[in-house]
Amino acid sequence: QVQLVESGGGLVQAGGSLRLSCAASGRFFSTYTMSWYRQAPGKEREFVATISSTVGGSTNYRDSVKGRFTISRDNAKNTVYLQMNSLKREDTAVYYCNAVRVFRDYWGQGTQVTVST
């Protein structure tokens, strides 16, 4: 079983930065594809970023965060990160960590990110 715990959310002014962390339990973290999703009130959960389990850790981002957000992972620490720079009001949402391996998936409880002007 995998348990995911997100942290690092908070209130930040537009143009500021936050670094989210997702700590995972288990012995097989390096085999999971890790992703970040987000959900704003009244909206569907949407994909933000993903990093593969393969050597080299290929990444992918939704267009609206490219150049601003960076996903990374530290397998020795069983942790995935989302560095968020140049934050905008539209980035306000609950951010969720997701782990997938062989079509099993796990979700964290989410961490709130609020961007103010």
Side-chain angles (χ1 to χ4, degrees), residues 37-48 62 64-65 88-96:
Y37 289 75
R38 66 188 182 187
Q39 186 170 24
K43 298 182 65 178
E44 293 290 311
R45 186 172 298 183
E46 64 183 20
F47 166 79
V48 177
R62 72 179 298 111
S64 63
V65 308
K88 305 173 181 179
R89 285 188 297 173
E90 53 263 42
D91 296 319
T92 295
V94 176
Y95 283 71
Y96 296 92

Side-chain angles (χ1 to χ4, degrees), residues 64-78:
S64 63
V65 308
K66 287 182 178 178
R68 300 189 297 120
F69 291 11
T70 302
I71 188 171
S72 61
R73 67 192 297 163
D74 186 338
N75 289 339
K77 297 180 179 179
N78 278 19

Side-chain angles (χ1 to χ4, degrees), residues 33-116:
T33 295
M34 302 298 299
S35 300
W36 289 95
Y37 289 75
R38 66 188 182 187
Q39 186 170 24
K43 298 182 65 178
E44 293 290 311
R45 186 172 298 183
E46 64 183 20
F47 166 79
V48 177
T50 191
I51 185 165
S52 73
S53 63
T54 60
V55 175
S58 62
T59 60
N60 190 249
Y61 304 87
R62 72 179 298 111
D63 287 344
S64 63
V65 308
K66 287 182 178 178
R68 300 189 297 120
F69 291 11
T70 302
I71 188 171
S72 61
R73 67 192 297 163
D74 186 338
N75 289 339
K77 297 180 179 179
N78 278 19
T79 302
V80 63
Y81 305 95
L82 185 67
Q83 178 66 48
M84 306 186 295
N85 300 325
S86 302
L87 283 162
K88 305 173 181 179
R89 285 188 297 173
E90 53 263 42
D91 296 319
T92 295
V94 176
Y95 283 71
Y96 296 92
C97 183
N98 168 256
V100 174
R101 182 174 70 97
V102 197
F103 303 104
R104 295 180 180 178
D105 70 317
Y106 303 88
W107 295 90
Q109 84 291 341
T111 185
Q112 176 71 49
V113 172
T114 303
V115 183
S116 66

